[in-house]
Amino acid sequence: MTSEIELYYWPTPNGWKISIALEEMELPYRLTLVDIGAGDQFKPDFLKIAPNNRMPAIIDPDGPDGAPVSIFESGAILQYLARKTGRFCGRTERERISVDQWLMWQMGGLGPMAGQAHHFLKYAPSLEPPQDLPYAKDRYRSEVARLYGVLDRQLAQAEFVAGDFFSIADMAIWPWASNWEGQEQNLDDKPHMARWLENVAARPGVQRGRALAAERKADLSTDRKAQAMLFRRG
């Protein structure tokens, strides 16, 4: 039996990517919570495996050649787990290319832009003093809308993001896209994205991964201590 993977996690879209992957891939794992509002991500022991002070991260006792390996960055973790299991990464080289390009699209585009949209639309106005910045709000709201237009057009020609199969690209994109309302988006003109969101949300593995430690998720718009930890430090 495969040894338990240690998952360093907090219930955010980036964390959900890996909890969903572990559930979908049916890999045993042990949970270590990284309370980002309390500053756990800056602790020396965590920085040894995640030097960028960001979760998620994993330690796999059964890494390459049977030796343990630690991995940070959610995209790298997803690619590693897909290679390890031989699942959700495409069956042919063309499919693997499609998975990789949409995974990179999420890592370099949707994740950062949606994250900035959340920050300036929801959190910045609630800071002390308030930082209600119309230009930033409009910029990131508009860029997320553009990206969801790209996603909807892709899903008009395929059941899932990379083709007719569920993949790590879907696992990476869905956690951010499922928060479209918080990004002040409208899906009335994006029926294919809406269909995909619903179908992915119905998967039991996605539901279990999304629910992991959900009770620990705090409202950052009112938690001053967490705001100071997350928004005032590098």
Side-chain angles (χ1 to χ4, degrees), residues 15-222:
W16 297 333
K17 296 177 193 177
I18 309 307
S19 57
I20 287 170
L22 291 167
E23 291 289 346
E24 286 281 349
M25 296 176 188
E26 302 175 291
L27 288 169
Y29 65 94
R30 181 172 68 256
L31 177 63
T32 296
L33 290 172
V34 180
D35 187 342
I36 58 176
D40 288 356
Q41 69 273 32
F42 299 106
K43 291 181 177 179
D45 285 349
F46 181 69
L47 290 173
K48 290 178 182 177
I49 61 171
N52 197 39
N53 60 264
R54 297 288 189 273
M55 69 86 221
I58 66 167
I59 296 177
D60 184 3
D62 293 326
D65 304 318
V69 64
S70 64
I71 309 170
F72 70 100
E73 286 296 329
S74 57
I77 297 169
L78 287 172
Q79 289 181 318
Y80 170 76
L81 295 175
R83 290 194 302 268
K84 180 182 177 74
T85 60
R87 302 178 67 187
F88 304 110
C89 53
R91 297 153 294 196
T92 67
E93 184 59 19
R94 288 186 180 275
E95 288 184 351
R96 287 188 286 271
I97 290 169
S98 184
V99 170
D100 285 348
Q101 68 184 3
W102 285 102
L103 177 62
M104 296 306 112
W105 178 85
Q106 188 283 317
M107 297 295 298
L110 179 60
M113 295 300 103
Q116 294 292 348
H118 276 294
H119 180 79
F120 286 107
L121 292 167
K122 183 175 182 180
Y123 302 133
S126 69
L127 294 175
E128 189 59 47
Q131 302 293 315
D132 196 344
L133 306 173
Y135 174 77
K137 293 163 73 172
D138 290 344
R139 173 179 172 81
Y140 290 111
R141 185 193 296 114
S142 296
E143 178 60 7
V144 172
R146 185 192 72 80
L147 288 164
Y148 285 153
V150 173
L151 179 62
D152 187 71
R153 289 189 293 274
Q154 172 65 9
L155 290 166
Q157 55 188 346
E159 181 179 1
F160 295 103
V161 175
D164 63 355
F165 58 99
F166 184 68
S167 75
I168 58 173
D170 300 282
M171 298 179 200
I173 296 167
W174 184 87
W176 284 103
S178 67
N179 280 335
W180 59 272
E181 290 176 296
Q183 301 148 18
E184 297 187 4
Q185 300 298 307
N186 188 325
L187 299 189
D188 290 346
D189 60 345
K190 300 176 182 67
H192 310 291
M193 176 180 167
R195 179 262 307 163
W196 169 82
L197 283 170
E198 183 177 351
N199 289 348
V200 173
R203 296 178 67 92
V206 172
Q207 293 172 3
R208 292 192 299 271
R210 174 63 176 78
L212 185 65
E215 73 283 356
R216 300 293 302 273
K217 189 171 178 61
D219 184 357
L220 294 179
S221 65
T222 60

